[in-house]
Amino acid sequence: MALNYDKWDHIDDSDDEARASDKRVQPLLESTKQQQQRDADAAVAERFAAYLRKHLKQEYPLAKRKLAAQFIGAQHRGESVSNIFRYNDICSFVARYSDELSDRSTTSMLCELHKRLIATVPSAELKNESNAIVKDCQTLIEAINALEACAQQGNAVIFYETVCNPSSSERARKLTERYERKEFAKRAMMKHLFKEDPSFGDNDFDDEEIPIGSSARKGKPKGSSFEDGDLYLLFAFVIAASAMVVGIYFYAHKLMIF
């Protein structure tokens, strides 16, 4: 059954300070997509396919790399301030390739690509937004953010319906703010960096990160989770302690620009 996006013809973003300058975001629907946009998506996908081939050819099969590159192309925001207006492409992609994109190894692959790409950028260039690699790392973070948000919330359509209407409820506002701050991507990067740490698991979410009705919420001991501030303090502590052994400190320093 085809998804019906008519109710999202206009996105309510009045409460979102991050996108206040856009006033009213016009969604990019398949029926209104121009050839120029299709060409731009294809160019982004081709560029990331090349990155994945160069950095992760030995670790991941071609089919997985190709699909991930196509998703990155389908969600990229171009000159807009957010990729929310690409919800039609994101939801369609997730619906069509649900099993592949929900596989944790796909997100992990993109996190590893970000780690390797940002390591190639000289420190003096990290805040240079005109640097091609820096710009592509930002696009990559946005793709990770979208994938992780869909994975956490469980239903891409409902999730984007919520973040497209942040003024509908307090929960919608908070969820939109978290998405725009790319907190889903930050958590995915933390999971990737600490994947060998048994004390940091997939269910270590704040309450507001867990979808309503999720078994993760029911099974979560009260007071057992980290607050975001605690997580970043732990992150900094582990990095400082193990920098000479695993080289994480240098990478994490670069990651902070995003």
PDB file of all heavy atoms in Angstrom, residues 80-111:
ATOM      1  N   SER A  80      19.257  23.517   2.426  1.00  0.00           N
ATOM      2  CA  SER A  80      18.279  23.736   3.492  1.00  0.00           C
ATOM      3  C   SER A  80      18.939  23.515   4.850  1.00  0.00           C
ATOM      4  O   SER A  80      20.026  22.941   4.938  1.00  0.00           O
ATOM      5  CB  SER A  80      17.086  22.788   3.330  1.00  0.00           C
ATOM      6  OG  SER A  80      16.413  23.028   2.117  1.00  0.00           O
ATOM      7  N   VAL A  81      18.277  23.953   5.914  1.00  0.00           N
ATOM      8  CA  VAL A  81      18.873  23.843   7.245  1.00  0.00           C
ATOM      9  C   VAL A  81      18.572  22.511   7.918  1.00  0.00           C
ATOM     10  O   VAL A  81      19.136  22.206   8.962  1.00  0.00           O
ATOM     11  CB  VAL A  81      18.398  25.000   8.157  1.00  0.00           C
ATOM     12  CG1 VAL A  81      18.897  26.328   7.625  1.00  0.00           C
ATOM     13  CG2 VAL A  81      16.878  25.009   8.285  1.00  0.00           C
ATOM     14  N   SER A  82      17.678  21.725   7.352  1.00  0.00           N
ATOM     15  CA  SER A  82      17.309  20.442   7.942  1.00  0.00           C
ATOM     16  C   SER A  82      16.890  19.487   6.834  1.00  0.00           C
ATOM     17  O   SER A  82      16.444  19.916   5.761  1.00  0.00           O
ATOM     18  CB  SER A  82      16.155  20.626   8.933  1.00  0.00           C
ATOM     19  OG  SER A  82      15.631  19.374   9.331  1.00  0.00           O
ATOM     20  N   ASN A  83      17.010  18.186   7.104  1.00  0.00           N
ATOM     21  CA  ASN A  83      16.556  17.208   6.114  1.00  0.00           C
ATOM     22  C   ASN A  83      15.126  16.743   6.372  1.00  0.00           C
ATOM     23  O   ASN A  83      14.650  15.812   5.724  1.00  0.00           O
ATOM     24  CB  ASN A  83      17.503  16.001   6.068  1.00  0.00           C
ATOM     25  CG  ASN A  83      17.483  15.170   7.347  1.00  0.00           C
ATOM     26  OD1 ASN A  83      16.767  15.488   8.307  1.00  0.00           O
ATOM     27  ND2 ASN A  83      18.272  14.110   7.377  1.00  0.00           N
ATOM     28  N   ILE A  84      14.420  17.375   7.296  1.00  0.00           N
ATOM     29  CA  ILE A  84      13.045  16.963   7.586  1.00  0.00           C
ATOM     30  C   ILE A  84      12.166  17.067   6.346  1.00  0.00           C
ATOM     31  O   ILE A  84      11.262  16.257   6.149  1.00  0.00           O
ATOM     32  CB  ILE A  84      12.463  17.783   8.760  1.00  0.00           C
ATOM     33  CG1 ILE A  84      13.074  17.308  10.080  1.00  0.00           C
ATOM     34  CG2 ILE A  84      10.945  17.651   8.829  1.00  0.00           C
ATOM     35  CD1 ILE A  84      12.532  18.005  11.307  1.00  0.00           C
ATOM     36  N   PHE A  85      12.444  18.047   5.488  1.00  0.00           N
ATOM     37  CA  PHE A  85      11.619  18.198   4.288  1.00  0.00           C
ATOM     38  C   PHE A  85      11.789  17.023   3.323  1.00  0.00           C
ATOM     39  O   PHE A  85      11.016  16.868   2.377  1.00  0.00           O
ATOM     40  CB  PHE A  85      11.942  19.521   3.582  1.00  0.00           C
ATOM     41  CG  PHE A  85      13.181  19.499   2.725  1.00  0.00           C
ATOM     42  CD1 PHE A  85      13.093  19.481   1.342  1.00  0.00           C
ATOM     43  CD2 PHE A  85      14.445  19.489   3.301  1.00  0.00           C
ATOM     44  CE1 PHE A  85      14.234  19.466   0.548  1.00  0.00           C
ATOM     45  CE2 PHE A  85      15.588  19.482   2.522  1.00  0.00           C
ATOM     46  CZ  PHE A  85      15.484  19.461   1.135  1.00  0.00           C
ATOM     47  N   ARG A  86      12.766  16.143   3.593  1.00  0.00           N
ATOM     48  CA  ARG A  86      12.956  14.940   2.773  1.00  0.00           C
ATOM     49  C   ARG A  86      12.237  13.727   3.362  1.00  0.00           C
ATOM     50  O   ARG A  86      12.552  12.585   3.024  1.00  0.00           O
ATOM     51  CB  ARG A  86      14.448  14.612   2.647  1.00  0.00           C
ATOM     52  CG  ARG A  86      15.351  15.668   2.041  1.00  0.00           C
ATOM     53  CD  ARG A  86      15.062  15.981   0.586  1.00  0.00           C
ATOM     54  NE  ARG A  86      14.983  14.845  -0.303  1.00  0.00           N
ATOM     55  CZ  ARG A  86      15.959  14.446  -1.125  1.00  0.00           C
ATOM     56  NH1 ARG A  86      17.120  15.084  -1.125  1.00  0.00           N
ATOM     57  NH2 ARG A  86      15.779  13.439  -1.947  1.00  0.00           N
ATOM     58  N   TYR A  87      11.262  13.959   4.254  1.00  0.00           N
ATOM     59  CA  TYR A  87      10.609  12.845   4.940  1.00  0.00           C
ATOM     60  C   TYR A  87       9.993  11.838   3.971  1.00  0.00           C
ATOM     61  O   TYR A  87       9.955  10.641   4.239  1.00  0.00           O
ATOM     62  CB  TYR A  87       9.542  13.350   5.916  1.00  0.00           C
ATOM     63  CG  TYR A  87       8.355  14.027   5.270  1.00  0.00           C
ATOM     64  CD1 TYR A  87       7.352  13.295   4.636  1.00  0.00           C
ATOM     65  CD2 TYR A  87       8.234  15.412   5.289  1.00  0.00           C
ATOM     66  CE1 TYR A  87       6.283  13.914   4.042  1.00  0.00           C
ATOM     67  CE2 TYR A  87       7.165  16.039   4.696  1.00  0.00           C
ATOM     68  CZ  TYR A  87       6.184  15.291   4.068  1.00  0.00           C
ATOM     69  OH  TYR A  87       5.120  15.918   3.471  1.00  0.00           O
ATOM     70  N   ASN A  88       9.496  12.311   2.835  1.00  0.00           N
ATOM     71  CA  ASN A  88       8.877  11.400   1.873  1.00  0.00           C
ATOM     72  C   ASN A  88       9.891  10.375   1.374  1.00  0.00           C
ATOM     73  O   ASN A  88       9.625   9.167   1.339  1.00  0.00           O
ATOM     74  CB  ASN A  88       8.308  12.199   0.698  1.00  0.00           C
ATOM     75  CG  ASN A  88       7.590  11.310  -0.309  1.00  0.00           C
ATOM     76  OD1 ASN A  88       6.814  10.446   0.076  1.00  0.00           O
ATOM     77  ND2 ASN A  88       7.852  11.515  -1.586  1.00  0.00           N
ATOM     78  N   ASP A  89      11.082  10.844   1.006  1.00  0.00           N
ATOM     79  CA  ASP A  89      12.125   9.939   0.530  1.00  0.00           C
ATOM     80  C   ASP A  89      12.641   9.046   1.657  1.00  0.00           C
ATOM     81  O   ASP A  89      12.892   7.852   1.453  1.00  0.00           O
ATOM     82  CB  ASP A  89      13.286  10.744  -0.059  1.00  0.00           C
ATOM     83  CG  ASP A  89      12.912  11.415  -1.369  1.00  0.00           C
ATOM     84  OD1 ASP A  89      12.441  10.713  -2.276  1.00  0.00           O
ATOM     85  OD2 ASP A  89      13.078  12.636  -1.481  1.00  0.00           O
ATOM     86  N   ILE A  90      12.818   9.632   2.847  1.00  0.00           N
ATOM     87  CA  ILE A  90      13.323   8.855   3.980  1.00  0.00           C
ATOM     88  C   ILE A  90      12.351   7.733   4.339  1.00  0.00           C
ATOM     89  O   ILE A  90      12.743   6.562   4.473  1.00  0.00           O
ATOM     90  CB  ILE A  90      13.565   9.766   5.203  1.00  0.00           C
ATOM     91  CG1 ILE A  90      14.703  10.756   4.914  1.00  0.00           C
ATOM     92  CG2 ILE A  90      13.899   8.932   6.438  1.00  0.00           C
ATOM     93  CD1 ILE A  90      14.888  11.819   5.976  1.00  0.00           C
ATOM     94  N   CYS A  91      11.066   8.066   4.480  1.00  0.00           N
ATOM     95  CA  CYS A  91      10.071   7.062   4.857  1.00  0.00           C
ATOM     96  C   CYS A  91       9.914   5.990   3.780  1.00  0.00           C
ATOM     97  O   CYS A  91       9.772   4.801   4.090  1.00  0.00           O
ATOM     98  CB  CYS A  91       8.725   7.734   5.133  1.00  0.00           C
ATOM     99  SG  CYS A  91       8.693   8.731   6.640  1.00  0.00           S
ATOM    100  N   SER A  92       9.929   6.401   2.530  1.00  0.00           N
ATOM    101  CA  SER A  92       9.808   5.433   1.438  1.00  0.00           C
ATOM    102  C   SER A  92      10.987   4.479   1.422  1.00  0.00           C
ATOM    103  O   SER A  92      10.834   3.265   1.228  1.00  0.00           O
ATOM    104  CB  SER A  92       9.707   6.168   0.094  1.00  0.00           C
ATOM    105  OG  SER A  92       8.533   6.942   0.025  1.00  0.00           O
ATOM    106  N   PHE A  93      12.176   5.028   1.638  1.00  0.00           N
ATOM    107  CA  PHE A  93      13.386   4.209   1.648  1.00  0.00           C
ATOM    108  C   PHE A  93      13.355   3.210   2.801  1.00  0.00           C
ATOM    109  O   PHE A  93      13.657   2.025   2.628  1.00  0.00           O
ATOM    110  CB  PHE A  93      14.614   5.116   1.770  1.00  0.00           C
ATOM    111  CG  PHE A  93      15.723   4.770   0.821  1.00  0.00           C
ATOM    112  CD1 PHE A  93      15.835   5.414  -0.396  1.00  0.00           C
ATOM    113  CD2 PHE A  93      16.655   3.796   1.142  1.00  0.00           C
ATOM    114  CE1 PHE A  93      16.854   5.100  -1.281  1.00  0.00           C
ATOM    115  CE2 PHE A  93      17.681   3.475   0.270  1.00  0.00           C
ATOM    116  CZ  PHE A  93      17.783   4.127  -0.949  1.00  0.00           C
ATOM    117  N   VAL A  94      12.989   3.703   3.989  1.00  0.00           N
ATOM    118  CA  VAL A  94      12.946   2.836   5.169  1.00  0.00           C
ATOM    119  C   VAL A  94      11.875   1.760   5.016  1.00  0.00           C
ATOM    120  O   VAL A  94      12.073   0.607   5.421  1.00  0.00           O
ATOM    121  CB  VAL A  94      12.694   3.678   6.437  1.00  0.00           C
ATOM    122  CG1 VAL A  94      12.408   2.781   7.640  1.00  0.00           C
ATOM    123  CG2 VAL A  94      13.898   4.565   6.732  1.00  0.00           C
ATOM    124  N   ALA A  95      10.738   2.107   4.416  1.00  0.00           N
ATOM    125  CA  ALA A  95       9.672   1.123   4.218  1.00  0.00           C
ATOM    126  C   ALA A  95      10.097   0.038   3.227  1.00  0.00           C
ATOM    127  O   ALA A  95       9.826  -1.149   3.421  1.00  0.00           O
ATOM    128  CB  ALA A  95       8.410   1.820   3.721  1.00  0.00           C
ATOM    129  N   ARG A  96      10.791   0.444   2.185  1.00  0.00           N
ATOM    130  CA  ARG A  96      11.189  -0.507   1.138  1.00  0.00           C
ATOM    131  C   ARG A  96      12.344  -1.403   1.571  1.00  0.00           C
ATOM    132  O   ARG A  96      12.389  -2.585   1.226  1.00  0.00           O
ATOM    133  CB  ARG A  96      11.577   0.259  -0.126  1.00  0.00           C
ATOM    134  CG  ARG A  96      11.917  -0.641  -1.303  1.00  0.00           C
ATOM    135  CD  ARG A  96      12.186   0.168  -2.561  1.00  0.00           C
ATOM    136  NE  ARG A  96      12.475  -0.687  -3.693  1.00  0.00           N
ATOM    137  CZ  ARG A  96      12.778  -0.237  -4.916  1.00  0.00           C
ATOM    138  NH1 ARG A  96      12.799   1.072  -5.148  1.00  0.00           N
ATOM    139  NH2 ARG A  96      13.040  -1.084  -5.895  1.00  0.00           N
ATOM    140  N   TYR A  97      13.268  -0.834   2.346  1.00  0.00           N
ATOM    141  CA  TYR A  97      14.454  -1.590   2.761  1.00  0.00           C
ATOM    142  C   TYR A  97      14.537  -1.679   4.284  1.00  0.00           C
ATOM    143  O   TYR A  97      15.589  -1.477   4.875  1.00  0.00           O
ATOM    144  CB  TYR A  97      15.716  -0.922   2.208  1.00  0.00           C
ATOM    145  CG  TYR A  97      15.742  -0.801   0.709  1.00  0.00           C
ATOM    146  CD1 TYR A  97      15.497   0.421   0.086  1.00  0.00           C
ATOM    147  CD2 TYR A  97      16.006  -1.909  -0.095  1.00  0.00           C
ATOM    148  CE1 TYR A  97      15.519   0.537  -1.301  1.00  0.00           C
ATOM    149  CE2 TYR A  97      16.030  -1.803  -1.479  1.00  0.00           C
ATOM    150  CZ  TYR A  97      15.784  -0.575  -2.074  1.00  0.00           C
ATOM    151  OH  TYR A  97      15.807  -0.467  -3.448  1.00  0.00           O
ATOM    152  N   SER A  98      13.409  -1.986   4.889  1.00  0.00           N
ATOM    153  CA  SER A  98      13.317  -1.993   6.349  1.00  0.00           C
ATOM    154  C   SER A  98      14.342  -2.915   7.001  1.00  0.00           C
ATOM    155  O   SER A  98      15.054  -2.513   7.928  1.00  0.00           O
ATOM    156  CB  SER A  98      11.905  -2.414   6.775  1.00  0.00           C
ATOM    157  OG  SER A  98      11.817  -2.512   8.175  1.00  0.00           O
ATOM    158  N   ASP A  99      14.427  -4.151   6.534  1.00  0.00           N
ATOM    159  CA  ASP A  99      15.338  -5.115   7.156  1.00  0.00           C
ATOM    160  C   ASP A  99      16.792  -4.675   7.042  1.00  0.00           C
ATOM    161  O   ASP A  99      17.560  -4.756   8.003  1.00  0.00           O
ATOM    162  CB  ASP A  99      15.169  -6.498   6.520  1.00  0.00           C
ATOM    163  CG  ASP A  99      13.835  -7.135   6.851  1.00  0.00           C
ATOM    164  OD1 ASP A  99      13.193  -6.677   7.821  1.00  0.00           O
ATOM    165  OD2 ASP A  99      13.428  -8.067   6.141  1.00  0.00           O
ATOM    166  N   GLU A 100      17.161  -4.202   5.860  1.00  0.00           N
ATOM    167  CA  GLU A 100      18.553  -3.817   5.634  1.00  0.00           C
ATOM    168  C   GLU A 100      18.940  -2.571   6.429  1.00  0.00           C
ATOM    169  O   GLU A 100      20.000  -2.523   7.060  1.00  0.00           O
ATOM    170  CB  GLU A 100      18.799  -3.561   4.143  1.00  0.00           C
ATOM    171  CG  GLU A 100      18.635  -4.790   3.256  1.00  0.00           C
ATOM    172  CD  GLU A 100      17.212  -4.952   2.736  1.00  0.00           C
ATOM    173  OE1 GLU A 100      16.281  -4.401   3.379  1.00  0.00           O
ATOM    174  OE2 GLU A 100      17.037  -5.614   1.698  1.00  0.00           O
ATOM    175  N   LEU A 101      18.071  -1.561   6.415  1.00  0.00           N
ATOM    176  CA  LEU A 101      18.411  -0.301   7.071  1.00  0.00           C
ATOM    177  C   LEU A 101      18.267  -0.362   8.587  1.00  0.00           C
ATOM    178  O   LEU A 101      18.901   0.411   9.305  1.00  0.00           O
ATOM    179  CB  LEU A 101      17.551   0.834   6.510  1.00  0.00           C
ATOM    180  CG  LEU A 101      17.824   1.197   5.044  1.00  0.00           C
ATOM    181  CD1 LEU A 101      16.861   2.289   4.579  1.00  0.00           C
ATOM    182  CD2 LEU A 101      19.265   1.657   4.848  1.00  0.00           C
ATOM    183  N   SER A 102      17.414  -1.263   9.078  1.00  0.00           N
ATOM    184  CA  SER A 102      17.257  -1.395  10.529  1.00  0.00           C
ATOM    185  C   SER A 102      18.341  -2.271  11.142  1.00  0.00           C
ATOM    186  O   SER A 102      18.477  -2.337  12.370  1.00  0.00           O
ATOM    187  CB  SER A 102      15.876  -1.969  10.870  1.00  0.00           C
ATOM    188  OG  SER A 102      15.729  -3.281  10.341  1.00  0.00           O
ATOM    189  N   ASP A 103      19.112  -2.932  10.304  1.00  0.00           N
ATOM    190  CA  ASP A 103      20.227  -3.749  10.781  1.00  0.00           C
ATOM    191  C   ASP A 103      21.266  -2.836  11.427  1.00  0.00           C
ATOM    192  O   ASP A 103      21.733  -1.874  10.807  1.00  0.00           O
ATOM    193  CB  ASP A 103      20.847  -4.501   9.599  1.00  0.00           C
ATOM    194  CG  ASP A 103      21.864  -5.549  10.032  1.00  0.00           C
ATOM    195  OD1 ASP A 103      22.574  -5.311  11.036  1.00  0.00           O
ATOM    196  OD2 ASP A 103      21.964  -6.589   9.362  1.00  0.00           O
ATOM    197  N   ARG A 104      21.633  -3.133  12.667  1.00  0.00           N
ATOM    198  CA  ARG A 104      22.573  -2.279  13.398  1.00  0.00           C
ATOM    199  C   ARG A 104      23.898  -2.126  12.662  1.00  0.00           C
ATOM    200  O   ARG A 104      24.567  -1.095  12.771  1.00  0.00           O
ATOM    201  CB  ARG A 104      22.799  -2.878  14.793  1.00  0.00           C
ATOM    202  CG  ARG A 104      23.872  -2.208  15.633  1.00  0.00           C
ATOM    203  CD  ARG A 104      23.633  -0.728  15.828  1.00  0.00           C
ATOM    204  NE  ARG A 104      22.365  -0.439  16.468  1.00  0.00           N
ATOM    205  CZ  ARG A 104      21.907   0.790  16.661  1.00  0.00           C
ATOM    206  NH1 ARG A 104      22.593   1.833  16.241  1.00  0.00           N
ATOM    207  NH2 ARG A 104      20.749   0.973  17.260  1.00  0.00           N
ATOM    208  N   SER A 105      24.274  -3.133  11.871  1.00  0.00           N
ATOM    209  CA  SER A 105      25.555  -3.059  11.173  1.00  0.00           C
ATOM    210  C   SER A 105      25.577  -1.946  10.128  1.00  0.00           C
ATOM    211  O   SER A 105      26.643  -1.424   9.791  1.00  0.00           O
ATOM    212  CB  SER A 105      25.886  -4.401  10.509  1.00  0.00           C
ATOM    213  OG  SER A 105      24.967  -4.706   9.476  1.00  0.00           O
ATOM    214  N   THR A 106      24.402  -1.562   9.608  1.00  0.00           N
ATOM    215  CA  THR A 106      24.360  -0.477   8.624  1.00  0.00           C
ATOM    216  C   THR A 106      24.708   0.851   9.279  1.00  0.00           C
ATOM    217  O   THR A 106      25.539   1.614   8.778  1.00  0.00           O
ATOM    218  CB  THR A 106      22.966  -0.390   7.974  1.00  0.00           C
ATOM    219  OG1 THR A 106      22.674  -1.629   7.312  1.00  0.00           O
ATOM    220  CG2 THR A 106      22.914   0.748   6.966  1.00  0.00           C
ATOM    221  N   THR A 107      24.082   1.121  10.422  1.00  0.00           N
ATOM    222  CA  THR A 107      24.398   2.351  11.152  1.00  0.00           C
ATOM    223  C   THR A 107      25.845   2.336  11.618  1.00  0.00           C
ATOM    224  O   THR A 107      26.547   3.350  11.544  1.00  0.00           O
ATOM    225  CB  THR A 107      23.461   2.509  12.366  1.00  0.00           C
ATOM    226  OG1 THR A 107      22.107   2.488  11.920  1.00  0.00           O
ATOM    227  CG2 THR A 107      23.725   3.820  13.090  1.00  0.00           C
ATOM    228  N   SER A 108      26.303   1.186  12.087  1.00  0.00           N
ATOM    229  CA  SER A 108      27.686   1.062  12.541  1.00  0.00           C
ATOM    230  C   SER A 108      28.660   1.333  11.397  1.00  0.00           C
ATOM    231  O   SER A 108      29.702   1.977  11.592  1.00  0.00           O
ATOM    232  CB  SER A 108      27.921  -0.334  13.118  1.00  0.00           C
ATOM    233  OG  SER A 108      29.235  -0.462  13.612  1.00  0.00           O
ATOM    234  N   MET A 109      28.326   0.876  10.210  1.00  0.00           N
ATOM    235  CA  MET A 109      29.174   1.111   9.043  1.00  0.00           C
ATOM    236  C   MET A 109      29.299   2.607   8.758  1.00  0.00           C
ATOM    237  O   MET A 109      30.400   3.112   8.485  1.00  0.00           O
ATOM    238  CB  MET A 109      28.594   0.397   7.821  1.00  0.00           C
ATOM    239  CG  MET A 109      29.348   0.658   6.519  1.00  0.00           C
ATOM    240  SD  MET A 109      28.643  -0.246   5.103  1.00  0.00           S
ATOM    241  CE  MET A 109      27.061   0.614   4.914  1.00  0.00           C
ATOM    242  N   LEU A 110      28.185   3.326   8.845  1.00  0.00           N
ATOM    243  CA  LEU A 110      28.214   4.763   8.583  1.00  0.00           C
ATOM    244  C   LEU A 110      28.966   5.512   9.686  1.00  0.00           C
ATOM    245  O   LEU A 110      29.660   6.495   9.412  1.00  0.00           O
ATOM    246  CB  LEU A 110      26.792   5.299   8.440  1.00  0.00           C
ATOM    247  CG  LEU A 110      25.995   4.737   7.255  1.00  0.00           C
ATOM    248  CD1 LEU A 110      24.633   5.404   7.157  1.00  0.00           C
ATOM    249  CD2 LEU A 110      26.763   4.903   5.946  1.00  0.00           C
ATOM    250  N   CYS A 111      28.830   5.051  10.924  1.00  0.00           N
ATOM    251  CA  CYS A 111      29.592   5.661  12.023  1.00  0.00           C
ATOM    252  C   CYS A 111      31.091   5.466  11.803  1.00  0.00           C
ATOM    253  O   CYS A 111      31.889   6.382  12.021  1.00  0.00           O
ATOM    254  CB  CYS A 111      29.177   5.050  13.358  1.00  0.00           C
ATOM    255  SG  CYS A 111      27.519   5.503  13.924  1.00  0.00           S
TER     256      CYS A 111
END
